[in-house]
Amino acid sequence: QVQLQESGPGLVKPSETLSLTCTVSGGSLVSYYWSWIRQSPGKGLEWIGCIYFSGTTSYNPSLKSRVTISLDTSKNHFSLRLSSVTSADTAVYYCARTYNSRAMDVWGQGTTVTVSS
Amino acid sequence: EIVLTQSPGTLSLSPGERATLSCGASQSVSSSYLAWYHQKPGQAPRLLIYGAYTRATGTPERFSGSGSGTDFTLTISRLEPEDFAVYYCQHDETFGPGTKVEI
């Protein structure tokens, strides 16, 4: 069965770039969308963006100027870069396999990223 | 931009009872893009329903989705202890604020 695992630094300094990778095991990137979602402490879910296996991306308009999602089919992973971070970007970041309807059926366990000097 | 609202904010029920959770959209939306999740503390969300009505793989039959246009409903016919969690609806790129189902 498909499993997703997020990885990356747990602490990022303000104004720097947050970089996370989601490694897909037990399946291929082909024919699916792949999303990043975050959840601030005690808050709800916020969709960050997604990428199709072909490389087409779609981003949350509120984050679009700072977000880049990319994928590497040879390594079976996809990545998130979020630039110019502030404390408001402190959250648990999840990656998820996504249908074309945006429903997300397989999730990673999540990784906590704290923005602090 | 579509805004989703969920009601009630908190639902206090007992095991065996029926739960009815509502999700409202600020404008008419396609049911094809409406999904429901639940999330337990410290865990990732889990997809329950997609396309407004279709149970995801592994979702028990006690969960059912209905609705169209601006009003959607998730019904849990008989609550099991593991169903006490926060429930989110999602349309396309937007999540609702959640309904907490508590004992």
Side-chain angles (χ1 to χ4, degrees):
Chain A
Q1 74 201 44
V2 176
Q3 293 184 311
L4 280 62
Q5 178 68 58
E6 304 91 349
S7 59
L11 181 65
V12 181
K13 290 182 168 56
S15 79
E16 295 190 345
T17 297
L18 177 161
S19 295
L20 297 174
T21 295
C22 181
T23 300
V24 179
S25 58
S28 168
L29 293 176
V30 175
S31 298
Y32 285 97
Y33 291 83
W34 302 91
S35 295
W36 287 98
I37 310 96
R38 70 181 182 180
Q39 187 169 34
S40 302
K43 299 290 183 61
L45 300 164
E46 181 179 28
W47 180 80
I48 298 171
C50 68
I51 188 166
Y52 193 48
F53 78 98
S54 63
T56 302
T57 54
S58 180
Y59 300 133
N60 186 324
S62 68
L63 298 169
K64 186 174 184 177
S65 63
R66 299 193 291 130
V67 173
T68 303
I69 298 175
S70 58
L71 61 76
D72 187 331
T73 53
S74 67
K75 296 181 179 178
N76 226 37
H77 73 209
F78 62 105
S79 300
L80 169 70
R81 288 174 57 86
L82 181 65
S83 63
S84 306
V85 297
T86 70
S87 59
D89 296 308
T90 293
V92 176
Y93 285 76
Y94 296 99
C95 60
R97 189 177 75 172
T98 306
Y99 299 152
N100 60 6
S101 66
R102 297 282 194 264
M104 302 166 205
D105 70 331
V106 181
W107 293 64
Q109 65 185 22
T111 188
T112 299
V113 178
T114 301
V115 178
S116 175
S117 55
Chain B
E1 178 188 346
I2 291 170
V3 177
L4 298 178
T5 56
Q6 291 187 244
S7 61
T10 302
L11 195 54
S12 298
L13 294 168
S14 299
E17 290 192 295
R18 181 183 186 90
T20 302
L21 288 68
S22 296
C23 176
S26 57
Q27 62 190 78
S28 184
V29 300
S30 169
S31 59
S32 297
Y33 289 77
L34 199 288
W36 289 92
Y37 303 81
H38 71 185
Q39 184 180 32
K40 299 176 186 178
Q43 296 185 18
R46 179 192 165 196
L47 179 66
L48 298 170
I49 301 283
Y50 64 96
Y53 327 111
T54 304
R55 279 187 291 273
T57 302
T59 300
E61 290 188 2
R62 63 181 181 273
F63 291 91
S64 62
S66 63
S68 63
T70 59
D71 298 300
F72 296 88
T73 301
L74 176 71
T75 303
I76 311 170
S77 59
R78 289 179 57 86
L79 283 164
E80 296 287 341
E82 61 267 28
D83 298 336
F84 292 91
V86 179
Y87 288 77
Y88 295 98
C89 61
Q90 175 209 6
H91 175 266
D92 199 356
E93 303 161 355
T94 303
F95 288 94
T99 289
K100 182 178 182 179
V101 178
E102 64 177 21
I103 296 176

